[in-house]
Amino acid sequence: MSEQRQSIHGIWNSRIIFILAATGSAVGLGNIWKFPYITGEYGGGAFVLVYLLCILFVGVPIMMAEVMLGRRGRQSPINSMKAMAEETGSTPLWQIIGWMGALAGFLILTFYSVIAGWAIDYVFKMGSGAFNGVDGATSEKIFGDLLASPGELILFHSIFIIVTLYIVGKGVNEGLEKATKFLMPALFLLLVVLLGYSLSLDSFGQGFDFLFTFDFSKISKEAFVVALGHSFFTLSLGLGAMMAYGAYMPAKASIASTVVTVAALDTIVALISGLVIFPIVFANGLEPGAGPGLMFQTLPLAFGQMPGGTIFGTLFFILVAFAAWSSAISLLEPGVSWAVESTRFTRPQITIALGALAWFVGLGSVLSFNHWAEAKLLGKTFFDVLDYLTANIMLPLGGLLIAIFTGWFYKEKFSHDELRMNGSPIFPIWLWTIRIISPLAVVYVGLKGVGLID
Ligand code: PFF
């Protein structure tokens, strides 16, 4: 039973705190920034449908597995995987899941921080009234000017890395628990206010149809890969973040209901973000496929026009930065918790070392928006390559291995004990989903992505 092992890193104070922390990890730039822009790039409704199916049949079952393995292991993902493999008589090679995950988390942090830096920058831009009454073209230009200034990008990238390291260095319980308790509800509330604004636009229906009209002729092969990858990214799966957080979960809390709550909140935030952004896109003649700048070009327009927009806009970007912050710490936690357990160095030392390295690699992403914009590998910039490699390859691969291990190698009785479902039909449904449906879905999408099937 999980009570046998102790976490040396701390335990969340309650199930609610776990939900907040896990939601803090899941809800981030992925929901507010990435989901709308990839939906715009990959054709709208059909993409959204594939994404929702991935959340349900792949994301939720794998999140349950990750949290379960973490809680039973009570250690960093690398060491928990080792313990779980031993416990069930399998090869210690399964640790590879933990190693690959820690690497993926590190790589994501390098560019996540750059984008979060844009949000911090926008706090100041909004606050100074730079967007009051601007039109679409001006908004695009302000964003373009930011991308063209490596110095400005590096400044905010650095600030974001430093605040992230501060929390990870301090450990689990203190700052973050308290911050998320207040920030997540505030973010949600502001999104609903923005939704009210979007609802008042004539183009709301057009935005709604764009998100929810499932036209499969519009969807490309790559869209399947991106939708699946995003379901991992948005739920913080496949790299051990949820495993690390599960290790700090109170032993009595129910995993299934907790996970479903986190996934539902995450999905709602993404869909509301889409419903806020697309009507504004259409009302102002912007391009839904504008790419990573979409949120930064559209929302300031709305704020620039609404009463009190300067205040709301400033608050909004503060909250986006906070949402990114509570996600970023979970990107570093798998690597840091392993090093705390397995080396002589202290948590602050390890955090600073890894963070400094992430900052340095992040400079590549900064430059890919200006000086290196033309330096491409397979048509992708440095930022694009890291984003694609992590979200669309490493996370699904990590998730596939977790599903195979939990479904086929880990002892069914252990899963049953840990999930505490005492005879509930949800257990066999979960087990067979993770054995068959989730792995097949990942393999199918993978084969489609590399062009081996149509
Ligand atoms: N889920 C976060 C988001 O949607 O912004 C990103 C993320 C955090 C991915 C932590 C993976 C992770 F481990």
Side-chain angles (χ1 to χ4, degrees), residues 335-360:
V336 167
S337 56
W338 170 80
V340 170
E341 288 161 7
S342 313
T343 70
R344 287 182 292 108
F345 299 104
T346 63
R347 181 176 266 269
Q349 287 169 336
I350 296 157
T351 308
I352 291 171
L354 275 177
L357 201 61
W359 175 84
F360 181 72

Side-chain angles (χ1 to χ4, degrees), residues 23-34 105 108 112 230 232-242 266 323-324 326-332 334 395:
T23 308
S25 166
V27 172
L29 296 174
N31 307 63
I32 311 166
W33 161 74
K34 192 171 181 188
I108 293 175
Y112 202 82
H230 188 63
F232 280 95
F233 186 85
T234 191
L235 293 177
S236 303
L237 295 180
L239 61 74
M242 287 297 164
D266 187 79
S326 59
S327 299
I329 54 171
S330 65
L331 288 165
L332 214 46
L395 303 190

Side-chain angles (χ1 to χ4, degrees), residues 9 15 44 60 87 104 129 137 158 163 175 190 194 196 205-206 219 235 258 307 347 371 406 413 417 427 439 448:
H9 307 283
R15 167 174 178 265
V60 169
E87 181 175 71
S158 312
V163 294
L190 257 182
L194 281 175
Q206 207 183 340
I219 193 162
L235 293 177
T258 306
R347 181 176 266 269
H371 296 311
T406 315
K413 178 179 176 323
D417 287 352
F427 183 75
K448 219 176 164 65

Side-chain angles (χ1 to χ4, degrees), residues 91-148:
T91 159
L93 279 180
W94 285 107
Q95 266 184 92
I96 193 93
I97 293 173
W99 285 108
M100 194 175 68
L103 177 65
F106 172 84
L107 291 176
I108 293 175
L109 180 64
T110 68
F111 66 83
Y112 202 82
S113 162
V114 175
I115 313 292
W118 300 355
I120 304 178
D121 190 327
Y122 266 56
V123 170
F124 296 101
K125 285 198 167 45
M126 290 290 335
S128 69
F131 290 99
N132 287 347
V134 299
D135 58 9
T138 315
S139 178
E140 276 179 32
K141 177 165 182 329
I142 295 176
F143 181 68
D145 288 347
L146 167 64
L147 292 194

Side-chain angles (χ1 to χ4, degrees), residues 33-49:
W33 161 74
K34 192 171 181 188
F35 170 73
Y37 97 72
I38 53 178
T39 300
E41 278 182 336
Y42 289 99
F47 176 86
V48 175
L49 181 64

Side-chain angles (χ1 to χ4, degrees), residues 109-111 113-114 150-151 153-158 161 355-372 382-383 386:
L109 180 64
T110 68
F111 66 83
S113 162
V114 175
L153 296 176
I154 291 173
L155 171 69
F156 291 104
H157 162 54
S158 312
I161 284 275
L357 201 61
W359 175 84
F360 181 72
V361 179
L363 298 181
S365 287
V366 164
L367 293 174
S368 72
F369 291 104
N370 36 71
H371 296 311
W372 291 0
F382 186 86
F383 161 78
L386 277 188

Side-chain angles (χ1 to χ4, degrees), residues 62 67 102 120 137 160 188 222 248 266 277 420-421 450:
I62 291 184
V67 173
I120 304 178
F160 186 79
F188 197 78
E222 193 172 278
Y248 318 142
D266 187 79
I277 286 181
R420 305 231 170 78
M421 286 195 189
V450 292

